[in-house]
């Protein structure tokens, strides 16, 4: 005798993206989330909505429509000029409570803002939140565990929040279909934005801002951003990344020398060497560092753990230099050199130097 | 004079990923066999708590949740100068996700009592979510300062510097507040040998140990077991899958001198195009 599986369908709410702006500058992660959100909303057959909070937002709501949102909720208010945990939390909680049906899915960037705000919203609504997802999808899930009989059943359209699992080489699919919104964050660079279409039509809906006295317990005196300062890892065409195989912090000198051979290049690193203090965190590539898609990624002495791979596997050309022919990085690199990086890299610098002088001769000749 | 500060610091024991012990062949970690350590991020929180005590006076209580061996991280905290420890340990907490963990920690904090400031590590090295701190703040109804890299306290307000993308914020909060400490804050100072030795001697005696480190369970702190563990967790790991071998067609260069290998590489790829003229 087979038991009938209990089908559980929750009312299908919208897919909501929480937009992020810093000092009026829309953050790219928002457009990426709209790209991912559009896919999820289309698959669910629901709407893609987006909420933006700030002050003097000008054409920002329109840009969110152009990048995929069907509806943009706008909270434009002087008190929202800079991000503050309690004020933004208030507006977002009020918005979610005002909706007749809670969003099916709610997405935020895994940034200093998203990681500050998302957990508060999830805790307030007692709902699940998965950090740093590398893939998002929707699909069915049958819960069989009888630990909590009320949860048993077939859930038709759950958010699949996929991220590398603890330990290595496995991806975990994390679900929380019991309560909506099902929440997730993704790192900047991880999802693909849509091509903006200025002709796209969408609805722009102003939402109320009702702050309470306790929301002023925390104030921001100043937000300082140093434009142009800092490492432009995500904008580089060529990234030379060093790992534990460098043997010591001094090894990074060689990485800088190799990077200097290329135009628009930067130096990256694995987490192991960042944890060891060989280079600052801003260089870290991977699940808990930056996601990069340069045209060329040169990994020197990096084993290729899953957490590193998810941060760079979409690079155009991946070159790996590792003395261990069995290193996992050779499973997804395009070009692999098996050897001691201390012999290979100086040789690369030498040969690329020759290419450079040939190019220089070339330019001189062409000016005649 | 104002009352001395009551400072709480939350610490967690995590598997030591640097050691090979407890690493399964498929790369997953066997938590029972793995070596254990204090979550590296919590060292900064500990430093912040001890600095607060040293500068402004007060008492530091370290709080942890985990299986019985987690008492080791509380002992370590005491060796560094923390005044007392509280460990929440209960089988019913197994498989708690961040929300259930934040619930259990909230109940523990409330059971321990009054506080002015709670320090947490930015995140853990095993979960890596950075969610528990803010979720705890939400449950306690507190303001929070995450990614804090510097702070001072005056007039019952915390003035802090918080890292953001490409810069930082200067902010200011009333007490009580929850602070998660970034790893650009000062590293944990070395413990004094004599102090640490004295604490070790003291904690060796079980009766004495119980005076400094209390172990409590869900019943003691009055937590609802249905809101903890698997039952209280809105998320579950539904499946794990091996990562597909994308690409899998790496052109390998090996077994030659460096100069031949590099020539091969330049011949097989468009790397030259990116060379700076
Ligand atoms: C939750 C979580 C999040 C994580 N997030 C990240 C992340 O964001 N980014 C990240 O990178 N990692 C991350 N990690 C860590 C990751 O699992 C690996 O531990 C790390 O990437 C390994 O760094 P590595 O490749 O430099 O070191 P190793 O794995 O030790 O590899 C060193 C490599 O160098 C090679 N080598 C040694 N000497 C030489 C030589 N002379 N010449 C050539 N090759 C040599 C060796 O063969 C080896 O393959 C995370 C882990 C966890 C659990």
């Amino acid at each position: 005798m087979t038991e009938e599986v209990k089908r559980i369908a929750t009312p299908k709410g919208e897919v909501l993206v929480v937009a992020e702006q810093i000092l009026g500058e829309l953050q790219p992660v928002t457009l990426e989330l709209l790209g991912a959100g559009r896919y999820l909303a289309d698959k669910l057959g629901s709407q893609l909505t987006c909420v933006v909070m700030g002050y003097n937002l000008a054409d920002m709501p329109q840009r969110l429509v152009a990048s995929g949102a069907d509806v943009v909720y706008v909270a434009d208010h002087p008190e929202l000029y800079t991000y503050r945990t309690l004020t933004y939390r208030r507006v977002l909680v009020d918005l979610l409570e005002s909706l007749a049906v809670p969003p099916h899915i709610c997405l935020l960037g895994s940034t200093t803002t998203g990681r500050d705000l998302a957990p508060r919203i999830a805790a307030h609504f007692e709902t699940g939140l998965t950090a740093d997802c590398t893939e998002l999808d929707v699909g069915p899930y049958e819960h069989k565990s009888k630990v909590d009989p009320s949860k048993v059943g077939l859930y038709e359209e759950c958010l699949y929040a996929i991220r590398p699992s603890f330990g290595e080489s496995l991806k975990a699919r994390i679900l929380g279909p019991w309560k909506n919104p099902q929440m997730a964050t993704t790192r900047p660079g991880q999802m693909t934005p849509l091509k903006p279409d200025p002709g796209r039509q969408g609805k722009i809906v102003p939402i109320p801002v009702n702050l309470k006295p306790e929301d002023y317990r925390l104030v921001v005196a100043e937000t300082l951003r140093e434009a142009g300062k800092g490492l432009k890892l995500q904008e580089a065409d060529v990234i030379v990344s060093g790992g534990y195989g460098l043997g010591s912090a001094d090894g990074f000198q060689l990485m800088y020398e190799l990077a200097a051979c290329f135009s628009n290049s930067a130096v990256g690193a694995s987490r192991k060497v960042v944890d060891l203090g060989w280079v600052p965190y801003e260089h870290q590539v991977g699940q808990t560092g930056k996601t990069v898609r340069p045209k060329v990624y040169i990994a020197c002495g990096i084993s290729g753990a899953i957490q590193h791979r998810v941060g760079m596997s979409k690079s155009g050309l991946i070159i790996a230099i590792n003395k261990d022919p069995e290193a996992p990085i050779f499973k997804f690199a395009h070009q692999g050199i098996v050897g001691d990086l201390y012999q290979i890299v100086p040789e690369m610098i030498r040969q690329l130097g020759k290419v450079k002088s040939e190019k220089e001769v070339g330019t001189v000749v062409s000016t005649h | 004079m104002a009352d001395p500060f009551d400072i709480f610091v939350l610490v967690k024991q995590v598997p030591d990923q640097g050691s090979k012990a407890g690493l399964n062949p498929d790369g997953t970690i066997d938590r029972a066999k793995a070596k254990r350590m204090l979550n590296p991020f919590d060292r900064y929180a500990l430093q912040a708590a001890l600095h607060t005590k040293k500068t402004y006076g007060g008492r530091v209580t370290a709080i942890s949740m985990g299986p019985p061996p987690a008492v080791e991280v509380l002992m370590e905290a005491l060796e560094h100068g923390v005044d007392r420890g509280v460990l929440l340990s209960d089988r019913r907490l197994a498989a708690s996700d961040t929300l259930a963990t934040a619930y259990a920690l909230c109940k523990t904090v409330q059971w321990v009592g009054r506080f002015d400031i709670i320090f947490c590590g930015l995140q853990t090295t095993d979960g890596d979510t950075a969610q528990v701190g803010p979720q705890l703040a939400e449950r306690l109804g507190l303001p929070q300062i995450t990614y804090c890299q510097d702070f001072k306290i005056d007039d019952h307000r915390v003035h802090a510097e918080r890292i953001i993308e490409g810069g930082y914020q200067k902010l200011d909060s009333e007490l009580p507040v929850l602070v998660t400490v970034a790893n650009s804050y000062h590293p944990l100072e070395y413990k004094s040998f004599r102090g640490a030795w004295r604490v070790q001697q003291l904690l060796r005696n079980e009766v004495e140990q119980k005076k400094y480190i209390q172990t409590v369970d869900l019943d003691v702190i009055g937590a609802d077991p249905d809101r903890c563990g698997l039952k209280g967790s809105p998320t579950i790991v539904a499946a794990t899958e091996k990562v597909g071998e994308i690409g899998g067609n790496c052109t390998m260069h090996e077994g030659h001198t460096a100069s031949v290998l590099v020539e091969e590489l330049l011949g097989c790829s468009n790397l030259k195009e990116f060379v700076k003229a």
Side-chain angles (χ1 to χ4, degrees), chain A residues 244 270-272 284-285 288 303 307-308 322 340-341, chain B residues 128:
Chain A
Y244 190 61
S270 72
R271 166 154 142 187
K272 203 159 170 178
Q284 184 178 317
V285 171
T288 47
S303 60
Q307 295 89 355
H308 189 79
N322 197 303
D340 181 351
L341 73 92
Chain B
D128 237 318

Side-chain angles (χ1 to χ4, degrees), chain A residues 89 112 116 221 309 335-336, chain B residues 138-139 146 162 170 244 253:
Chain A
R89 170 198 172 280
T112 58
D116 191 82
R309 171 172 161 178
Q335 296 285 332
Chain B
E138 178 70 20
R139 291 195 182 285
T146 56
R162 169 176 192 268
K170 284 189 173 162
H253 309 282

Side-chain angles (χ1 to χ4, degrees), chain A residues 20 22 82-83 85-86 89 111-113 115-117 119-120 122-124 126-132 141 143 145 147-148 151 163 165-178 216-226 237-238 260-263 271 288 295-296 298 306 309 313 317 319 325 330-338 343-344 347-348 350-352 355-356 359-360, chain B residues 15 17 23 26-29 31 41 97-99 122-123 125-131 134-135 137-139 141-147 157 162-174 183 227 230-255 258-266 268-277:
Chain A
E20 190 178 317
I22 303 179
T82 46
Y83 172 73
T85 312
L86 299 180
R89 170 198 172 280
T111 56
T112 58
T113 304
R115 290 179 126 207
D116 191 82
L117 184 58
R120 296 215 53 141
H124 180 83
E126 301 277 341
T127 194
L129 168 64
T130 306
D132 299 339
Y141 167 66
H143 190 69
S145 159
V147 175
D148 184 350
K151 286 183 177 174
R163 73 190 298 249
S165 73
F166 177 62
E168 330 265 272
S169 70
L170 290 174
K171 281 197 292 191
R173 184 188 289 172
I174 297 171
L175 305 179
W178 299 283
Y216 293 93
R217 282 177 294 172
L218 181 79
V219 293
V220 171
E222 248 182 308
T223 299
L224 295 129
R225 290 191 94 205
E226 288 147 278
D237 286 330
V238 179
C261 298
F262 304 103
S263 48
R271 166 154 142 187
T288 47
K295 293 181 179 142
V296 183
I298 308 178
I306 170 80
R309 171 172 161 178
S313 63
L317 167 67
I319 300 172
F330 291 129
K331 302 232 163 74
F332 59 93
H334 306 112
Q335 296 285 332
I337 296 187
V338 181
Q343 289 176 5
I344 306 297
E347 181 60 26
M348 278 175 82
R350 200 182 64 80
Q351 294 195 21
L352 293 171
V355 175
K356 181 183 170 187
K359 280 198 183 180
E360 276 164 359
Chain B
Q17 291 166 45
L23 208 61
D26 68 352
T28 54
I29 288 211
R31 281 179 193 254
F41 289 95
D97 71 359
T98 61
L99 196 76
L122 183 63
Q123 59 192 58
T125 52
D126 55 350
D128 237 318
T129 67
Q131 285 169 194
Q135 288 183 325
E138 178 70 20
R139 291 195 182 285
L142 295 178
Q144 72 190 24
I145 300 168
T146 56
Y147 291 90
R157 292 188 79 86
R162 169 176 192 268
I163 304 176
I164 59 167
E165 285 72 18
Y168 62 93
Q169 287 189 318
K170 284 189 173 162
L171 35 86
D172 197 292
S173 173
E174 277 177 24
N183 51 3
R227 295 183 67 184
L230 205 54
K231 235 178 157 177
S233 298
T235 59
I236 51 153
V237 178
T240 53
E241 49 194 278
K242 273 252 181 279
V243 180
E245 296 191 355
I246 46 163
N249 47 4
C250 182
T251 309
M252 297 293 276
H253 309 282
E254 60 184 311
S259 80
V260 174
L261 292 174
V262 174
E263 273 165 30
E264 278 185 19
L265 172 72
L266 297 185
C268 289
S269 69
N270 62 345
L271 189 60
K272 283 183 186 172
E273 287 170 25
F274 299 93
V275 169
K276 186 158 48 184

